[in-house]
Amino acid sequence: LKIKGKVKEIKEFKAGTRVILEDEEGELTVWIWKDIWENLKKTFKEGDNIIVAGELKEYKGKLELVPRIKDDILPLK
């Protein structure tokens, strides 16, 4: 799955980072594992538009998009 949206929120945790992505359809959680986030955290911020590709998974009844590699996330300028 690939989605384009605006970064609404970024929250770092021990295991990784949760990014809330917003588009005209609503909001989607993007879960970025710690090793991938280390290479990405300076490339975009809240309010930026990005494209994310990844695997759609369900966690605690909610859908999450999980990119597999850092190149699955592309900041738009």
Side-chain angles (χ1 to χ4, degrees), residues 6-10 18-22 27-30:
K6 182 180 275 192
V7 177
K8 183 176 179 183
E9 178 183 297
I10 298 173
R18 182 186 71 209
V19 175
I20 305 297
L21 202 58
E22 188 175 47
E27 294 181 359
L28 180 65
T29 298
V30 178

Side-chain angles (χ1 to χ4, degrees), residues 11-56:
K11 183 158 178 141
E12 292 186 51
F13 296 91
K14 193 181 225 179
T17 299
R18 182 186 71 209
V19 175
I20 305 297
L21 202 58
E22 188 175 47
D23 69 4
E24 59 276 345
E25 303 283 322
E27 294 181 359
L28 180 65
T29 298
V30 178
W31 179 260
I32 304 170
W33 293 109
K34 187 174 186 164
D35 58 333
I36 296 172
W37 180 246
E38 289 302 315
N39 295 307
L40 283 171
K41 64 177 159 187
K42 303 274 191 232
T43 61
F44 65 89
K45 62 189 181 316
E46 290 177 2
D48 287 354
N49 288 303
I50 61 174
I51 296 176
V52 182
E55 188 177 343
L56 197 60

Side-chain angles (χ1 to χ4, degrees), residues 48-65:
D48 287 354
N49 288 303
I50 61 174
I51 296 176
V52 182
E55 188 177 343
L56 197 60
K57 297 186 175 195
E58 188 176 322
Y59 179 71
K60 293 187 178 179
K62 292 190 171 194
L63 291 176
E64 292 184 340
L65 187 59

